[in-house]
Amino acid sequence: MCDHCVMETVKSKMLDRRDFFKGVALASAAAAVGAATPATAVEVNISNGSPTDLTHELHEGFPTYFGKPGVSAKSIYNFKENGFNVNVLTVNEHTGTHMDAPLHFSADGNSVAEVPVETLFCPLAIIDIREKAAADADAQVTPDDIKAYISANGPIPDGACVAMMSGWDKFTNGDKFRNADDKGKMHFPGFHIEATKMLLEETKTVGMAVDSLSLDHGISADFVTHYAWLPTNRWGLECVANLDALPVKGATLVVGAPKMRGGSGGPARVMALS
């Protein structure tokens, strides 16, 4: 086959591939309309998006809520001796950038394997509280923050994930990510219960994300946001990275949630297209 013919064939295949992914986006939106989820419609566009990785690298030293290592790896085959590498991983479900499934804080909510796949590909709305988080580690996303976002950017899209951008993702290499005081109480930002109720009652969001260790702010003793949000069969993402690389509206979130039967959550590869 001539060089020109090869190039034309490649170009044709690339166009076919682009059309295919556009079709996937439309099909996902259509599926979400009829799905038994809190969302009723999802409008996304991946045809011209560039990817941003929102996932921290997972390693044994990554800070965890309870302060103990959440992941370990043991080599059972190595390339030098066996010609290939295999590790056995021991992982706490809620380590690193990870999903909280509804089952995490409910008796019979969806496990991580049961989270509807159409909700894992959704619009992303980012609420920026970096200024007040820099002044107060116990800062929270409040209804006023949500109202300010809507005033500046329009309504939160149906089927969206609403993310808190506090800047806390920059502290994962030190003690400040947990930010425990001398009594062991942690101090980092999260969602206020009244903001959580507002999202539940006034929007059709499917997910909530934070760049800190917990949906609830660190000093919380009752996990009130977890208990309000997750039992409605919505999901949460914790320890998200690089939200500051995205526009506050218009990006599309892609969540590579694990599909572990009976899992209450699990480390996830989280990306966005913008």
Side-chain angles (χ1 to χ4, degrees), residues 124-128 149 153 165 246-251:
L124 180 63
I126 301 174
I127 297 180
D128 187 349
Y149 176 91
N153 301 287
M165 178 168 59
L246 298 170
V248 296
K249 64 173 289 187

Side-chain angles (χ1 to χ4, degrees), residues 6-85:
V6 171
M7 292 301 297
E8 288 302 312
T9 299
V10 171
K11 287 167 62 178
S12 177
K13 293 294 185 184
M14 291 176 66
L15 289 172
D16 289 345
R17 183 177 176 85
R18 185 175 65 182
D19 290 341
F20 167 77
F21 280 110
K22 286 182 179 179
V24 169
L26 292 173
S28 298
V33 172
T37 69
T40 58
V42 179
E43 184 177 345
V44 293
N45 180 8
I46 65 170
S47 59
N48 296 310
S50 59
T52 298
D53 193 351
L54 304 183
T55 315
H56 287 289
E57 184 178 24
L58 188 59
H59 57 89
E60 293 186 18
F62 194 92
T64 64
Y65 189 88
F66 295 105
K68 299 178 180 179
V71 60
S72 63
K74 180 181 179 181
S75 173
I76 59 172
Y77 297 101
N78 64 78
F79 191 84
K80 181 178 180 180
E81 296 177 2
N82 309 110
F84 57 92
N85 294 306

Side-chain angles (χ1 to χ4, degrees), residues 12-230:
S12 177
K13 293 294 185 184
M14 291 176 66
L15 289 172
D16 289 345
R17 183 177 176 85
R18 185 175 65 182
D19 290 341
F20 167 77
F21 280 110
K22 286 182 179 179
V24 169
L26 292 173
S28 298
V33 172
T37 69
T40 58
V42 179
E43 184 177 345
V44 293
N45 180 8
I46 65 170
S47 59
N48 296 310
S50 59
T52 298
D53 193 351
L54 304 183
T55 315
H56 287 289
E57 184 178 24
L58 188 59
H59 57 89
E60 293 186 18
F62 194 92
T64 64
Y65 189 88
F66 295 105
K68 299 178 180 179
V71 60
S72 63
K74 180 181 179 181
S75 173
I76 59 172
Y77 297 101
N78 64 78
F79 191 84
K80 181 178 180 180
E81 296 177 2
N82 309 110
F84 57 92
N85 294 306
V86 175
N87 296 321
V88 171
L89 302 179
T90 302
V91 183
N92 181 308
E93 294 172 317
H94 301 276
T95 303
T97 303
H98 67 275
M99 170 173 280
D100 280 6
L103 185 61
H104 186 35
F105 272 76
S106 63
D108 56 1
N110 284 339
S111 73
V112 70
E114 296 167 330
V115 173
V117 68
E118 57 269 16
T119 71
L120 303 179
F121 184 84
C122 62
L124 180 63
I126 301 174
I127 297 180
D128 187 349
I129 65 162
R130 286 176 294 181
E131 185 173 345
K132 69 178 184 179
D136 179 10
D138 296 322
Q140 298 180 79
V141 176
T142 66
D144 285 344
D145 294 316
I146 297 174
K147 291 175 184 176
Y149 176 91
I150 292 172
S151 178
N153 301 287
I156 293 172
D158 289 352
C161 173
V162 176
M164 173 193 79
M165 178 168 59
S166 69
W168 224 251
D169 61 320
K170 309 307 178 189
F171 305 139
T172 57
N173 290 326
D175 293 337
K176 190 171 181 178
F177 197 61
R178 296 184 76 249
N179 204 26
D181 60 25
D182 56 5
K183 296 181 179 179
K185 294 186 180 294
M186 292 180 289
H187 300 271
F188 53 74
F191 274 86
H192 192 282
I193 183 56
E194 294 304 322
T196 304
K197 290 179 179 178
M198 183 178 178
L199 292 176
L200 288 170
E201 296 168 2
E202 300 182 23
T203 74
K204 295 180 179 178
T205 53
V206 297
M208 175 186 288
V210 295
D211 55 4
S212 61
L213 266 172
S214 175
L215 303 180
D216 287 276
H217 68 324
I219 202 171
S220 171
D222 54 12
F223 298 105
V224 62
T225 288
H226 278 83
Y227 277 115
W229 186 258
L230 295 176

